[in-house]
């Protein structure tokens, strides 16, 4: 996002792993906090990106509910966690955009599909789409159930292609 023009001063990261936190500071010049409680009490983000493993969402997400309000949208890239799940932890009025990017995003060639809840107006949904378009294409859909197919085909599919390529390369090495 910084490479696409987002200013480091506009980014705050919560990262409890010190090595990753230091990397974010050194490589990108962003503010990094070990916990959400380390942030200033009046901090009011426009976008909160929930980029954690789905299995830790129950512990990680609820404290972010303090940011739920008209000025903030939550962008989740956690696989398999529905909008209803997020509303249950952030509040029914929280503006939420659920998305599923894929691994080619790491080289700027990804595709992400997004779906917004009713609290996320067109401006908020477009802000999230623009953020994800920084690493490839991004498409907004109205039917959240389409994200299940995206997760299965687009989200996971490239990993299988990469595994096949790795296996072919290893076979070539072993064959001389």
């Amino acid at each position: 996002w910084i490479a696409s023009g987002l200013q480091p001063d506009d980014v705050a990261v919560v990262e409890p792993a010190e090595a990753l936190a230091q990397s974010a500071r050194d490589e990108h010049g962003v503010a990094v906090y070990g916990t959400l409680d380390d942030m200033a009490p009046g901090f009011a983000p426009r976008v909160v990106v929930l980029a954690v493993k789905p299995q830790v969402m129950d512990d990680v997400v609820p404290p972010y509910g303090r940011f739920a309000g008209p000025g903030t949208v939550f962008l989740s890239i956690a696989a398999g966690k529905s909008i209803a799940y997020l509303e249950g932890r952030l509040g029914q009025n929280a503006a939420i955009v659920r998305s599923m990017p894929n691994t080619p995003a790491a080289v700027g060639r990804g595709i992400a599909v997004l779906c917004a809840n009713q609290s996320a107006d067109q401006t908020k949904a477009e802000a999230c789409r623009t953020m994800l378009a920084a690493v490839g294409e991004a498409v907004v859909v109205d039917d959240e159930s389409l994200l299940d197919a995206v997760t299965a085909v687009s989200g996971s599919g490239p990993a299988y292609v990469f595994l096949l390529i790795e296996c072919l390369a290893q076979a070539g090495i072993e064959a001389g």
Side-chain angles (χ1 to χ4, degrees), residues 164-176:
L164 174 63
I165 292 168
E166 290 172 0
C167 290
L168 287 172
Q170 185 62 37
I173 290 168
E174 290 174 7

Side-chain angles (χ1 to χ4, degrees), residues 131-167:
M131 288 179 68
L132 290 172
V135 292
E137 293 185 48
V139 178
V140 178
V141 297
D142 292 328
D143 182 356
E144 183 182 7
S145 70
L146 294 174
L147 269 70
D148 296 334
V150 170
T151 300
V153 177
S154 174
S156 302
Y160 290 105
V161 174
F162 296 149
L163 177 61
L164 174 63
I165 292 168
E166 290 172 0
C167 290

Side-chain angles (χ1 to χ4, degrees), residues 25 47 76 115 130 142 148 151 164 169 171:
R25 283 185 206 100
V47 180
S76 172
C115 185
T130 299
D142 292 328
D148 296 334
T151 300
L164 174 63

Side-chain angles (χ1 to χ4, degrees), residues 70-131:
T72 301
V73 61
F74 294 88
L75 171 60
S76 172
I77 61 172
K81 296 299 183 182
S82 69
I83 289 172
Y85 168 90
L86 293 164
E87 288 172 341
R89 279 134 190 95
L90 296 168
Q92 291 296 316
N93 294 323
I96 297 168
V97 175
R98 179 182 168 205
S99 68
M100 180 45 51
N102 62 1
T103 53
V107 293
R109 304 293 291 168
I111 185 150
V113 177
L114 303 86
C115 185
N117 71 352
Q118 293 197 12
S119 296
D121 60 24
Q122 188 171 354
T123 301
K124 288 181 176 76
E126 180 59 21
C128 293
R129 192 203 65 74
T130 299
M131 288 179 68

Side-chain angles (χ1 to χ4, degrees), residues 34-95:
T35 70
L36 188 59
D37 292 334
D38 295 336
M39 299 178 121
F43 182 73
R46 289 182 308 235
V47 180
V48 174
V49 179
L50 300 170
V52 297
K53 299 285 186 190
Q55 60 268 27
V56 300
M57 294 285 280
D58 284 343
D59 294 328
V60 172
V61 173
Y64 286 87
R66 77 182 203 200
F67 299 128
T72 301
V73 61
F74 294 88
L75 171 60
S76 172
I77 61 172
K81 296 299 183 182
S82 69
I83 289 172
Y85 168 90
L86 293 164
E87 288 172 341
R89 279 134 190 95
L90 296 168
Q92 291 296 316
N93 294 323

